Amino acid sequence: MTQKQTTYATAGVDVEAGDRAVELMKSAVAATHNEHVFGQVGGFAGMFDVSFLKDYTRPLLATSTDGVGTKVAIAQALDIHHTIGYDLVGMVVDDIVVSGAKPLFMTDYIACGKVIPERIAGIVRGIAEACKEADVALVGGETAEHPGLLRPDEYDVAGAATGAIEADDLLGAHKVNAGDVIIGLPSSGIHSNGYSLVRRIIADAGWELSRDVADFGRTLGEELLEPTKVYTGELLSLYERVPGAVHSVSHVTGGGLSANVARVLPAGTLAVMKRDTWDVPAVFNVLGDLGNVPRADRERTWNLGVGMVLVVDSARAAEVVAAYPGAWHLGEVVSDTGEYRENPDYVQGAKGVDGGAAVLID
């Protein structure tokens, strides 16, 4: 009796499909490369020439890694994948630029149940387009096929990036003082946080992704796949145009507005932010009302239209607002005298950082 042969292909891994995916994505990846990228696409490691750092007095490297979370389930359901690439880049490089650092290069990782070359290439095309927008080189990546662990139509993405900054230019809590002004920058929508809550709401309500929603002016699925705004290029330009005005920056991601602002303030200070200074975009109100989500949960889960927060010198706040379209005066930094500590919306010590505090007030 002839024993059945077991091959990598019969185990569910298609090496040739992986090679086809690489060929499809090569041009998009190469388009992100600048004069600092060393070597070709397809090496075991991406190389980046950092000889320019010798001109720094004290160069610091900044690094960040992240994913997109359960937003990928929406992309998979709609079979639209390139926007997920923008989400990934925004979640990673914008965590670097908040320190004042310029993101230099990025790598990505895609795990999937089955390599569909066109789908993988679509994801990477989105990553590459967002990297190019942020002037970040995509120097490498990995696609891993995990049959039996993920279904054929399932995948997850992650990425990591590295940036650099002169130590004296580092932004953060050490530069913040009571009296500084808090500036809000608009988000493009939900970005990439809180989709487990989003998906539960629409599942419980029985809403289909194809549903036309008048408040959105498009389908529910189109609204939910709106990509994360990539702030890196605009923020680097802002830092140059108003040098020294920005003291600290917060990327509003998981945990909502207050928790993310508190972590970029020094101990003993409090960010007092006012809800009536901006209009919450329709998507948050529609979903929040549909799921009868308490205000506290909305504010702890979603960005509610505030994608970035700048803490700036009060004497230069008007310059900063004028330099960034859509920016607005969100609140102030004050000494934390204890006045708001009994407020249920008061947050201190968020994300493992024993720093300042933040509160949203009406």
Side-chain angles (χ1 to χ4, degrees):
M1 181 176 180
T2 303
Q3 184 178 359
K4 179 182 178 182
Q5 289 186 326
T6 303
T7 66
Y8 213 8
T10 62
V13 177
D14 188 341
V15 176
E16 292 182 358
D19 290 341
R20 289 197 301 275
V22 172
E23 287 300 317
L24 289 172
M25 69 178 72
K26 278 177 67 174
S27 61
V29 173
T32 73
H33 291 184
N34 53 35
E35 69 275 16
H36 300 295
V37 176
F38 188 85
Q40 302 292 321
V41 174
F44 283 97
M47 300 290 178
F48 196 85
D49 183 349
V50 293
S51 56
F52 63 89
L53 292 180
K54 68 180 183 297
D55 298 324
Y56 284 49
T57 301
R58 186 187 174 196
L60 301 179
L61 294 179
T63 185
S64 175
T65 186
D66 210 337
V68 175
T70 63
K71 188 173 184 177
V72 296
I74 307 294
Q76 291 160 14
L78 293 172
D79 197 25
I80 298 173
H81 310 286
H82 69 282
T83 61
I84 288 296
Y86 271 84
D87 291 305
L88 181 62
V89 174
M91 295 301 291
V92 173
V93 302
D94 285 344
D95 274 359
I96 290 177
V97 77
V98 298
S99 67
K102 173 176 172 47
L104 301 174
F105 57 86
M106 181 171 174
T107 58
D108 65 72
Y109 175 79
I110 304 171
C112 59
K114 180 178 177 60
V115 170
I116 308 298
E118 293 76 15
R119 183 169 62 195
I120 299 300
I123 298 169
V124 176
R125 175 169 59 85
I127 295 172
E129 288 173 355
C131 279
K132 191 170 183 181
E133 180 181 319
D135 191 24
V136 174
L138 183 60
V139 298
E142 174 70 10
T143 300
E145 203 165 18
H146 292 168
L149 183 62
L150 296 170
R151 292 194 299 268
D153 61 339
E154 289 182 333
Y155 64 82
D156 198 10
V157 296
T162 298
I165 187 172
E166 181 68 72
D168 287 346
D169 296 331
L170 186 67
L171 304 180
H174 63 287
K175 291 192 173 182
V176 174
N177 301 291
D180 282 353
V181 168
I182 301 170
I183 304 297
L185 305 184
S187 72
S188 58
I190 303 174
H191 286 181
S192 300
N193 298 103
Y195 273 81
S196 293
L197 176 58
V198 169
R199 290 167 55 241
R200 171 55 62 88
I201 290 169
I202 62 176
D204 288 349
W207 279 26
E208 299 292 335
L209 294 174
S210 58
R211 182 189 185 101
D212 285 309
V213 181
D215 288 308
F216 304 159
R218 53 182 172 178
T219 67
L220 174 63
E222 288 170 330
E223 182 71 26
L224 296 185
L225 274 192
E226 179 67 34
T228 301
K229 180 173 175 58
V230 179
Y231 294 89
T232 290
E234 293 175 351
L235 283 181
L236 290 173
S237 175
L238 180 70
Y239 299 158
E240 290 183 359
R241 283 180 287 149
V242 286
V246 179
H247 292 165
S248 187
V249 183
S250 175
H251 187 194
V252 183
T253 55
L257 180 58
S258 292
N260 282 290
V261 171
R263 65 198 288 205
V264 301
L265 302 179
T269 63
L270 169 69
V272 179
M273 298 173 288
K274 299 178 181 179
R275 294 185 178 97
D276 64 1
T277 60
W278 84 99
D279 294 323
V280 175
V283 63
F284 301 106
N285 292 326
V286 170
L287 292 172
D289 293 348
L290 181 66
N292 194 27
V293 181
R295 183 172 75 174
D297 272 63
R298 301 184 196 197
E299 293 178 346
R300 283 196 298 258
T301 306
W302 296 323
N303 66 63
L304 296 182
V306 188
M308 282 276 185
V309 170
L310 313 181
V311 183
V312 307
D313 183 336
S314 60
R316 305 186 65 190
E319 283 183 75
V320 174
V321 170
Y324 193 102
W328 75 94
H329 186 153
L330 178 60
E332 287 81 31
V333 177
V334 300
S335 296
D336 191 357
T337 61
E339 177 185 359
Y340 291 100
R341 289 180 193 169
E342 299 305 314
N343 188 312
D345 299 316
Y346 176 94
V347 176
Q348 193 276 329
K351 301 282 187 175
V353 178
D354 187 19
V359 66
L360 273 166
I361 63 172
D362 292 321

